[in-house]
Amino acid sequence: MPSIIDVKHVNKAFGGLTVIDDCSISVERGSITGLIGPNGAGKSTLFNIIAGALPLDSGQVLLDGEDITNLPANQLFHKGLLRTFQIAHEFSQLTALENLMMVPPNQLGESLFSTWFKPGQVRARETEVRQRALEVIDFVGLNHVRNELAGNLSGGQKKLLELGRTMMTDARVVLLDEIAAGVNRTLLGELITNIERLNREMGYTFLVIEHDMDMIARLCDPVIVLAQGRVMVEGSIEEIQNNPEVIEAYFGAGAA
């Protein structure tokens, strides 16, 4: 399959410290690609560069062949590239359902003119958005807490809600940032199932940073390993787990 994300010869330094060093990766369309590596490997920095949260120093990032180098996150959102966060970013004083309804851009109700002069169209659009939100909240298994304030949800439920928010847009690529962090095993199973369904049924492409190797093993193929800001190796999880260089990078010489 052709790639949907291409990172080409990217460099990033903070002061005199090089964090990303001539790094190139490709993410195939329709894949669930894992991005792993030891602490300090540059995973989060590369992730933030792709997501538009950090400018790169040199190199190029392409989305489906389009140059998106250094575009901010809000522009990437409209191009179908979204991210979730290790710590969920919910609107705590809105209900779970209202959190989903906030996502679609350019809603008519945001315009004072439309509110005054096109109330019928505003109501129709709100009904459409609400119906979509109800479908999404059922999909992610949160229907029983749809009217609960999002700030009262558990950590795992907030992660499910974040995943649901990606479904309220025309997402093409979703960057998942340690989505398993702080999630109990039951809800983690639900998260994994939903990610697999979004990939299989709706064609979402995922790039996943994760320390939970069981989750990576279940979800991701291929897996890219970063070390010292460069790609060390790429392959199946079995190839990665049996690679002596990877074992040394994670555990030190002699760990095998």
Side-chain angles (χ1 to χ4, degrees), residues 236-251:
S236 69
I237 189 62
E238 292 82 8
E239 292 168 334
I240 297 301
Q241 288 174 327
N242 293 305
N243 187 294
E245 290 182 284
V246 175
I247 294 169
E248 182 172 343
Y250 268 97
F251 304 112

Side-chain angles (χ1 to χ4, degrees), residues 22-247:
D22 194 29
C23 182
S24 298
I25 69 169
S26 292
V27 178
E28 289 186 359
R29 186 189 316 276
S31 71
I32 305 178
T33 299
L35 184 63
I36 67 172
N39 290 333
K43 304 183 298 298
S44 294
T45 300
L46 183 61
F47 207 70
N48 285 325
I49 287 170
I50 297 171
L54 274 178
L56 52 76
D57 295 334
S58 63
Q60 191 178 35
V61 181
L62 304 177
L63 174 64
D64 209 9
E66 178 186 358
D67 190 344
I68 60 167
T69 306
N70 287 340
L71 286 185
N74 65 306
Q75 291 187 36
L76 296 177
F77 172 87
H78 292 286
K79 294 179 181 293
L81 191 153
L82 291 79
R83 70 167 301 172
T84 67
F85 294 88
Q86 182 178 354
I87 299 174
H89 286 46
E90 78 283 353
F91 296 104
S92 61
Q93 295 305 307
L94 298 180
T95 68
L97 187 64
E98 289 167 340
N99 265 262
L100 296 182
M101 293 178 66
M102 286 285 291
V103 174
N106 303 320
Q107 297 188 50
L108 284 174
E110 297 172 0
S111 163
L112 188 59
F113 177 86
S114 296
T115 302
W116 284 352
F117 297 106
K118 300 179 180 179
Q121 292 181 33
V122 170
R123 285 194 298 270
R125 177 56 176 157
E126 286 180 350
T127 299
E128 179 184 326
V129 170
R130 179 180 173 82
Q131 182 56 42
R132 176 58 181 161
L134 287 169
E135 293 170 0
V136 168
I137 211 161
D138 185 60
F139 183 98
V140 297
L142 292 177
N143 196 45
H144 61 296
V145 292
R146 71 184 188 188
N147 296 319
E148 183 68 56
L149 292 180
N152 296 337
L153 301 182
S154 72
Q157 289 171 333
K158 289 177 181 180
K159 295 290 181 73
L160 285 167
L161 186 63
E162 280 227 331
L163 193 61
R165 290 200 305 214
T166 71
M167 298 175 62
M168 295 297 296
T169 70
D170 296 323
R172 292 191 285 166
V173 182
V174 179
L175 310 179
L176 299 179
D177 187 359
E178 295 195 33
I179 198 167
V183 179
N184 68 49
R185 305 312 293 182
T186 300
L187 283 179
L188 181 57
E190 293 182 26
L191 273 169
I192 290 172
T193 297
N194 282 319
I195 292 166
E196 290 173 329
R197 287 183 63 193
L198 287 170
N199 173 252
R200 182 177 62 251
E201 298 173 17
M202 300 185 183
Y204 279 36
T205 300
F206 289 96
L207 178 61
V208 184
I209 287 182
E210 188 52 65
H211 287 291
D212 187 320
M213 288 298 105
D214 290 337
M215 182 175 178
I216 289 288
R218 174 170 169 181
L219 272 180
C220 299
D221 187 17
V223 178
I224 300 168
V225 183
L226 286 190
Q228 298 180 336
R230 289 177 171 238
V231 174
M232 173 184 289
V233 66
E234 176 179 348
S236 69
I237 189 62
E238 292 82 8
E239 292 168 334
I240 297 301
Q241 288 174 327
N242 293 305
N243 187 294
E245 290 182 284
V246 175
I247 294 169

